[in-house]
Amino acid sequence: MTKKKLTLQELFDKTLKNRWRTAPFVLRFTELADHTGTVLVIKERVEKETSESGKKLGSLRDRGTLYGENLKILSPRLKPILEQVVDDGGVPLDLQRFISQEGFKLRDNLPLDDEAGAKIALIVKLQSRLHNPDRLELLARRVQRFSREEAAYWLGRTTHYGADANRWAVSGLRTMLCGTTNNDVGITRQLNKLR
């Protein structure tokens, strides 16, 4: 007898519903007034110490948004990253199932671990102002291959050093990962190696 596969809403309600409250990163499926369709917002939990009790509290900080054509192009690259997210017992959370037509209709918060969160936050941060499908795919494939430590390091370099230094880090990392121009033949060569 085969076990019935849970619908996405059942999966969320049964195993994911409150995990986002303590997760280091959260992937939020939402709508925004100035965009049509689903918008993915990646948020990082940043801890700060309270003055009275010394207890650490976490607040969520936006790391970027993904929507429209770029969301469509990058969705296949997000799935392998989300497949790696497991619970405390090592059981996969099946988060990749939410990157689908059905999943995009839900308005939920998915809990991400440090590695998946840092990689997705980096992809989302670096993809803004890129519209070439090959460069977007190359960028995502290369970030996907980062270790947890590399992803955390580069996310930190693009978010924690002040507006100017962060902007330069984003520009430099984007160039390093997917070149500077859309007609660079090296993009196709690099993609063919990674595919």
Side-chain angles (χ1 to χ4, degrees):
M1 191 156 134
T2 60
K3 189 176 178 181
K4 181 186 166 214
K5 193 172 188 178
L6 298 174
T7 68
L8 288 183
Q9 191 61 60
E10 290 169 340
L11 173 64
F12 181 80
D13 292 341
K14 183 176 179 182
T15 62
L16 302 171
K17 192 170 196 163
N18 290 314
R19 287 180 188 263
W20 70 271
R21 296 183 189 281
T22 57
F25 287 86
V26 174
L27 187 61
R28 180 168 288 165
F29 290 59
T30 190
E31 294 176 12
L32 297 176
D34 51 346
H35 302 295
T36 58
T38 299
V39 177
L40 300 188
V41 180
I42 182 78
K43 294 179 173 272
E44 181 179 14
R45 190 169 310 281
V46 179
E47 291 186 351
K48 55 186 175 187
E49 198 168 321
T50 61
S51 57
E52 292 178 18
S53 66
K55 181 181 176 187
K56 297 231 178 201
L57 297 175
S59 63
L60 292 173
R61 213 169 266 155
D62 281 2
R63 293 299 181 217
T65 57
L66 181 59
Y67 54 88
E69 194 62 26
N70 282 9
L71 174 57
K72 186 191 289 186
I73 293 166
L74 291 171
S75 288
R77 301 284 38 99
L78 299 180
K79 285 182 178 184
I81 296 170
L82 293 172
E83 282 178 4
Q84 303 303 313
V85 181
V86 297
D87 68 11
D88 294 335
V91 177
L93 293 177
D94 284 337
L95 300 182
Q96 73 280 0
R97 290 183 56 203
F98 289 86
I99 305 297
S100 63
Q101 292 293 357
E102 181 188 354
F104 289 159
K105 292 177 186 170
L106 302 176
R107 297 296 175 251
D108 293 322
N109 296 315
L110 300 183
L112 302 181
D113 60 19
D114 286 316
E115 183 172 349
K119 287 178 179 181
I120 291 174
L122 256 182
I123 290 169
V124 169
K125 183 166 271 306
L126 296 173
Q127 62 81 38
S128 67
R129 302 190 329 179
L130 280 182
H131 303 292
N132 177 293
D134 288 341
R135 285 184 73 199
L136 284 165
E137 181 185 350
L138 181 59
L139 166 79
R141 283 183 180 273
R142 294 190 76 191
V143 170
Q144 183 184 340
R145 297 169 64 101
F146 281 2
S147 68
R148 181 179 61 81
E149 293 79 11
E150 287 173 306
Y153 171 79
W154 285 111
L155 181 61
R157 291 299 310 174
T158 61
T159 57
H160 297 306
Y161 290 91
D164 292 332
N166 292 347
R167 183 171 39 85
W168 297 334
V170 166
S171 178
L173 186 56
R174 186 184 295 133
T175 298
M176 184 175 80
L177 293 173
C178 65
T180 58
T181 62
N182 292 336
N183 56 359
D184 185 339
V185 295
I187 294 169
T188 305
R189 282 196 301 264
Q190 290 293 320
L191 269 178
N192 288 337
K193 286 181 187 176
L194 294 174
R195 285 179 177 156

